[in-house]
Amino acid sequence: MLQRIDLLSKLEAQGIRLTAQRRALVETIQQTAGHLDVASLLEKARKRDSKIDRATVYRTIELLKKLELIDELDLMHLNGEKHYYEVRTQKDHLHLTCFRCGSVVEFTSSTFERLKREIAKENLFNIQVIRLEAGGLCQHCAEKNEGKN
Amino acid sequence: MLQRIDLLSKLEAQGIRLTAQRRALVETIQQTAGHLDVASLLEKARKRDSKIDRATVYRTIELLKKLELIDELDLMHLNGEKHYYEVRTQKDHLHLTCFRCGSVVEFTSSTFERLKREIAKENLFNIQVIRLEAGGLCQHCAEKNEGKN
DNA sequence: GTATTTGCAAAAGCTTTGCTGCAAC
DNA sequence: GTTGCAGCAAAGCTTTTGCAAATAC
């Protein structure tokens, strides 16, 4: 499993104090393994504090994105235009979304790391966020996919 | 410059007949160098046929996406949640968006091609669409960026 | 007491859809 | 005369915003 950063300690290291609601949101994000959309995050966080509002969720996500502690994904817009969020990992990784079954596979690769170094060096570009997503058919669905799209 | 496919001949090769409006839209997309959002595409296409409706634009884009003739981009949501479209190129490429000046640099790399082969082989994943976007600071803006975010 | 956050509701932005009439083959 | 497309308007989904009340320091 990919090593995810610890949000609370990073926030503390930056001297950022959290309100109770934001702490509940951060803890919910930290403790969720997969890819969270706003509606799911709100629902889960409300189990800790039923008063949390959608606007607070968006505002907290904005903060965490700005601090580069979470990443925003589209997952190929498989389920509409909403975004998904995940805790940053030590190594960047890419997401493979199956258009048929909706499964998402994560994948780290030294080639990806090399590509990032090339981007920085050849384009003299200072990467803050990088997002590599692919859509297609996972192995299982490709096998079932004889003749039919 | 990256070699873009020819939409009309690909469509013809697939036996797809276009209405006059769809042809106008396809030609507009083909002739536009950069990254088109729906509003810009509509505006440009209306110079050919002022009756074109937004719904027709969306329906035509949907068709071209399904046929894998155009790609959809987010460009790091620099200007809201809208999508951008571009004609498929012979080689996939990645997009570097500068958060400060909004410039978009495209970049092909044999390392990216290698990465795609690894994805297919190591994950047994059949890639239909791949999208690699990065956000950060371009060289010019990074240099101006002493001390300020 | 000042600054920041919350709650609520409304608005905004972009995309999709229903349906009627129209055009193509 | 079936089938698919266009036109229009409304609805849909997600995200953002304005502002008054509440909270934190």
Side-chain angles (χ1 to χ4, degrees):
Chain A
M1 195 35 168
L2 295 170
Q3 186 66 33
R4 303 195 297 162
I5 64 173
D6 185 70
L7 299 176
L8 288 175
S9 60
K10 291 276 184 189
L11 286 162
E12 190 174 7
Q14 298 207 33
I16 291 168
R17 280 177 301 282
L18 296 175
T19 60
Q21 291 201 347
R22 292 201 167 172
R23 175 173 290 266
L25 283 163
V26 168
E27 287 172 351
T28 303
I29 295 169
Q30 184 81 63
Q31 288 169 18
T32 301
H35 303 110
L36 266 178
D37 59 40
V38 167
S40 310
L41 171 54
L42 180 57
E43 189 185 352
K44 284 193 170 207
R46 277 183 170 162
K47 289 178 180 151
R48 291 166 186 266
D49 179 345
S50 63
K51 298 227 177 58
I52 294 176
D53 189 78
R54 214 160 4 120
T56 303
V57 175
Y58 280 105
R59 293 193 267 235
T60 304
I61 283 173
E62 187 187 18
L63 172 71
L64 297 174
K65 275 202 299 184
K66 192 165 299 172
L67 295 170
E68 299 179 11
L69 300 179
I70 62 174
D71 282 313
E72 186 177 76
L73 308 170
D74 289 328
L75 300 181
M76 303 315 283
H77 302 296
L78 201 64
N79 292 297
E81 294 301 316
K82 68 188 166 203
H83 295 137
Y84 297 89
Y85 300 91
E86 64 178 14
V87 179
R88 279 244 175 154
T89 49
Q90 304 291 356
K91 294 184 89 152
D92 287 323
H93 56 282
L94 47 92
H95 296 89
L96 311 176
T97 304
C98 179
F99 285 138
R100 183 176 277 260
C101 71
S103 65
V104 178
V105 173
E106 298 185 339
F107 178 45
T108 52
S109 138
S110 58
T111 306
F112 188 29
E113 298 300 319
R114 178 210 285 227
L115 180 57
K116 288 195 301 178
R117 287 196 301 273
E118 284 182 12
I119 292 168
K121 199 180 274 182
E122 295 183 22
N123 294 278
L124 300 167
F125 192 88
N126 175 5
I127 302 173
Q128 291 169 4
V129 186
I130 189 162
R131 198 199 300 195
L132 175 45
E133 299 188 359
L137 294 178
C138 71
Q139 180 182 14
H140 185 235
C141 290
E143 283 168 1
K144 290 196 303 186
N145 201 43
E146 320 282 90
K148 184 70 183 132
N149 178 42
Chain B
M1 194 35 167
L2 295 169
Q3 185 67 33
R4 303 194 298 162
I5 63 173
D6 185 72
L7 299 176
L8 287 176
S9 62
K10 291 277 184 188
L11 287 162
E12 190 175 7
Q14 298 207 34
I16 290 167
R17 281 177 302 282
L18 296 174
T19 60
Q21 291 201 347
R22 290 199 172 177
R23 175 172 293 266
L25 284 163
V26 168
E27 287 172 350
T28 304
I29 295 169
Q30 185 80 63
Q31 288 168 19
T32 301
H35 303 111
L36 267 177
D37 59 40
V38 168
S40 310
L41 172 54
L42 180 57
E43 189 184 350
K44 285 192 169 210
R46 277 184 171 161
K47 290 178 181 152
R48 291 165 185 267
D49 180 345
S50 63
K51 297 230 178 54
I52 295 176
D53 189 80
R54 213 160 2 119
T56 303
V57 176
Y58 280 106
R59 292 193 268 236
T60 303
I61 284 173
E62 186 187 20
L63 173 70
L64 297 174
K65 273 201 300 183
K66 193 166 296 169
L67 295 171
E68 300 179 9
L69 300 179
I70 61 173
D71 282 314
E72 187 177 76
L73 307 170
D74 289 328
L75 300 182
M76 303 316 283
H77 302 296
L78 200 64
N79 292 296
E81 294 301 315
K82 68 188 164 205
H83 295 136
Y84 297 89
Y85 299 91
E86 66 178 14
V87 179
R88 278 243 177 157
T89 49
Q90 304 293 356
K91 294 185 91 154
D92 288 322
H93 55 281
L94 46 90
H95 296 89
L96 311 176
T97 304
C98 178
F99 285 139
R100 180 175 278 257
C101 70
S103 65
V104 177
V105 174
E106 300 186 339
F107 178 47
T108 52
S109 139
S110 59
T111 306
F112 188 29
E113 297 301 318
R114 179 209 283 227
L115 180 57
K116 288 195 301 179
R117 288 196 299 275
E118 284 182 13
I119 291 167
K121 198 179 274 182
E122 293 182 24
N123 295 279
L124 300 167
F125 191 88
N126 175 6
I127 302 173
Q128 290 169 4
V129 186
I130 189 162
R131 199 199 299 194
L132 175 44
E133 299 186 358
L137 295 178
C138 72
Q139 180 183 13
H140 185 236
C141 290
E143 284 169 0
K144 290 196 303 188
N145 201 44
E146 320 282 89
K148 184 74 182 126
N149 176 47

